[in-house]
């Protein structure tokens, strides 16, 4: 059932173009308007929503961080993202115009389930983004967006994450459509860009061998840092989590702008720093990221940069360069996560670890 792959995880990484395409399937009606089958929240209810709180754990939490950028940008609705395990304990401000979005691949994560019970008790509307039909979390929610990743067997989430991202973008666009914060043709443009993503992910996967080689060259590495900005920040956190859980290597992700507020003290000669470079655009994100990369390199870091095709400005500062397809900044996580998955999977494998069953971890965490 591994279809010739050595690990479920690797198989699932390579299934991502398909999984993303499946998660986009059937989301538009004959007129091209977005429709979400299991939405079950009336347009009036959605229009009344004045705050969104996203709750999730681990990798799903990082999907939530990306969702915040997309939802706020496209819908102008304020979004908080909170670790499910922390949510209940801070006396969150919730009422009937709050939409709580719970993101969970398994649908059984106890922390997330308890958090939505708490939200419901305070009359919030709850929407689940889930990959498992009929699991506890969608059962306890008012509405569901199912991701169509298919069963995820490897303990580390891969296609689960990418399809969660798709669901988050769809939710954001749906709210934009209902609230009228984005015009139909804009929504169609973004949908078209989303529909191009499976091909872009395939392009990244075609370059797997380069990432594998780089990964194998890192056997013996004791620590790796990950830097990102904007939607690339959660990608950096995800890259670090994958490396911790699979290769048992100390890894940390930082928002690149925070470097100078402390983490830059960690940089020493030869330290690998993986940098998720935002696409070049109108704002100054790209330039800011570049200067962050120069800073760490000047202090001896060895930089591995993920940057879009055609971005030559990065070349002088990258010890290794992994190219990403040219996509909008908000959608970049869909391509940028993939080399980081490949990197962690290959490095862990080269170290002789079981990537499908990493030590101390379980696929569904049903205890709080
Ligand atoms: C990391 C990973 C975990 C899960 C987390 C939440 O690779 O798989 O961090 O993302 O335990 O699980 P779900 O999404 O099932 O609630």
């Amino acid at each position: 059932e591994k279809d010739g792959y050595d690990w479920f995880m690797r198989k699932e990484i390579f299934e991502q173009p398909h999984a993303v395409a499946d998660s986009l399937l059937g989301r538009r009606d004959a007129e091209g308007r977005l429709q979400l089958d299991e939405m079950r929240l009336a347009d009036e209810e959605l229009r009344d929503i004045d705050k969104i709180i996203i709750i999730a754990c681990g990798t799903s939490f990082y999907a939530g961080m990306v969702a915040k950028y997309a939802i706020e940008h496209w819908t102008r609705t304020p979004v908080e993202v909170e670790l499910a395990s922390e949510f209940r304990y801070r006396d969150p401000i919730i009422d009937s115009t709050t939409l709580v979005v719970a993101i969970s691949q398994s649908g059984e994560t106890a922390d997330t389930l308890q958090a939505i019970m708490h939200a419901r008790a305070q009359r919030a509307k709850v929407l689940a983004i889930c990959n498992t039909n009929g699991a506890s979390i969608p059962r306890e929610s008012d509405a569901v967006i199912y991701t169509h990743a298919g069963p995820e067997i490897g303990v580390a989430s891969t296609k689960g994450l990418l399809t969660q991202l798709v669901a988050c973008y769809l939710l954001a666009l749906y709210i934009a459509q209902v609230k009228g914060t984005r015009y139909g043709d804009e929504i169609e443009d973004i949908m078209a860009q989303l529909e191009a993503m499976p091909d872009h992910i395939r392009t990244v996967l075609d370059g797997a061998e380069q990432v594998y080689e780089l990964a194998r060259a890192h056997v013996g590495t004791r620590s790796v840092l990950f830097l990102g900005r904007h939607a690339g920040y959660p990608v950096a956190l995800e890259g670090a989590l994958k490396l911790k859980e699979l290769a048992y290597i100390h890894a940390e992700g930082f928002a690149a702008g925070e470097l100078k507020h402390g983490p830059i003290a960690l940089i020493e000669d030869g330290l690998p720093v993986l940098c998720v470079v935002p696409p070049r655009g109108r704002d100054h994100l790209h330039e800011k990221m570049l200067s962050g990369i120069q800073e760490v390199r000047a202090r001896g870091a060895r930089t591995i940069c993920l940057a879009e095709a055609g971005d030559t400005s990065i070349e002088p500062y990258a010890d290794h360069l992994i190219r990403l397809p040219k996509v909008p900044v908000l959608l970049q996580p869909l391509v940028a996560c993939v080399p980081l998955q490949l990197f962690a999977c290959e490095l862990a494998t080269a170290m002789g670890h079981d990537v499908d069953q990493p030590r101390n971890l379980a696929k569904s965490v049903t205890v709080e």
Side-chain angles (χ1 to χ4, degrees):
E1 350 154 357
K2 289 186 204 150
D3 289 346
Y5 288 97
D6 50 350
W7 302 102
F8 280 109
M9 181 187 181
R10 209 185 305 268
K11 170 174 175 260
E12 288 162 3
I13 292 173
F14 279 85
E15 280 171 355
Q16 291 181 118
H18 208 111
V20 166
D22 281 353
S23 285
L24 284 164
L25 219 62
R27 306 294 196 181
R28 293 208 259 179
D29 67 15
E31 280 89 59
R33 285 175 62 82
L34 270 177
Q35 52 173 18
L36 298 174
D37 289 342
E38 312 265 339
M39 177 40 93
R40 295 200 297 256
L41 287 175
D43 285 0
E44 305 80 73
E45 286 179 292
L46 266 190
R47 249 178 245 125
D48 286 344
I49 295 298
D50 55 14
K51 180 166 90 174
I52 295 174
I53 305 179
I54 302 177
I55 45 178
C57 305
T59 288
S60 301
F61 175 76
Y62 302 144
M65 289 177 72
V66 175
K68 174 182 166 82
Y69 290 98
I71 296 173
E72 290 191 338
H73 185 66
W74 291 333
T75 79
R76 311 309 301 155
T77 311
V79 180
E80 293 170 23
V81 193
E82 179 127 18
L83 291 168
S85 56
E86 290 291 324
F87 178 70
R88 277 194 297 158
Y89 302 100
R90 72 166 168 99
D91 195 10
I93 300 164
I94 310 171
D95 60 30
S96 60
T97 56
T98 307
L99 177 67
V100 167
V101 177
I103 307 178
S104 175
Q105 188 285 130
S106 64
E108 299 296 347
T109 301
D111 286 318
T112 311
L113 186 58
Q114 291 308 320
I116 66 178
M117 300 302 228
H118 183 74
R120 287 197 63 163
Q122 292 174 68
R123 303 190 306 132
K125 310 249 172 356
V126 178
L127 179 141
I129 291 178
C130 183
N131 193 43
T132 314
N133 261 62
S136 307
I137 288 170
R139 275 207 317 269
E140 294 297 337
S141 301
D142 299 298
V144 195
I145 300 176
Y146 279 113
T147 51
H148 297 285
E152 193 179 58
I153 309 225
V155 162
S157 184
T158 53
K159 60 178 184 171
L161 169 64
L162 260 56
T163 56
Q164 285 168 347
L165 290 171
V166 169
C168 290
Y169 295 130
L170 290 171
L171 174 64
L173 292 173
Y174 189 79
I175 297 172
Q177 176 177 285
V178 170
K179 289 199 172 197
T181 51
R182 294 278 150 172
Y183 295 113
D185 48 351
E186 270 180 284
I187 294 176
E188 288 218 5
D189 279 353
I190 303 165
M191 281 302 289
Q193 285 162 346
L194 275 172
E195 281 157 0
M197 293 312 281
D199 281 337
H200 291 319
I201 297 166
R202 227 167 264 127
T203 304
V204 177
L205 290 170
D206 287 343
E209 200 45 54
Q210 183 208 353
V211 181
Y212 288 162
E213 258 175 54
L214 194 63
R216 290 192 293 264
H218 282 80
V219 170
T221 299
R222 304 216 19 215
S223 176
V224 181
L225 302 187
F226 291 75
L227 299 181
R229 287 192 82 111
H230 192 264
Y233 170 39
V235 174
L237 296 172
E238 165 66 3
L241 179 61
K242 283 287 168 288
L243 213 53
K244 289 178 228 189
E245 64 179 341
L246 300 170
Y248 319 140
I249 291 176
H250 169 254
E252 275 198 79
F254 297 107
E258 272 295 294
L259 268 176
K260 54 190 172 302
H261 301 291
I264 198 156
L266 289 169
I267 306 294
E268 52 187 29
D269 236 15
L271 181 76
V273 181
L274 232 142
C275 312
V276 183
V277 182
R280 291 157 300 171
R282 277 160 304 162
D283 47 30
H284 297 291
L285 269 182
H286 180 268
E287 289 90 318
K288 291 270 171 59
M289 185 70 200
L290 227 58
S291 71
I293 296 172
Q294 291 172 35
E295 293 285 338
V296 297
R297 202 153 181 275
R299 288 163 178 81
R302 228 162 18 76
T303 55
I304 303 168
C305 300
L306 308 188
E308 69 178 0
D311 177 359
T312 50
S313 60
I314 188 75
E315 285 167 6
Y317 314 110
D319 292 295
H320 300 277
L321 191 49
I322 296 168
R323 288 299 187 182
L324 298 175
K326 217 169 145 42
V327 298
V329 65
L330 277 172
L331 305 188
Q332 200 196 33
L334 281 175
V335 289
C337 284
V338 177
L340 304 185
Q341 299 165 341
L342 293 168
F343 185 80
C345 180
E346 183 67 8
L347 177 46
T349 306
M351 292 168 78
H353 300 318
D354 179 337
V355 292
D356 286 342
Q357 294 284 341
R359 69 186 182 201
N360 309 340
L361 293 174
K363 185 68 187 160
S364 329
V365 185
T366 51
V367 289
E368 275 184 78

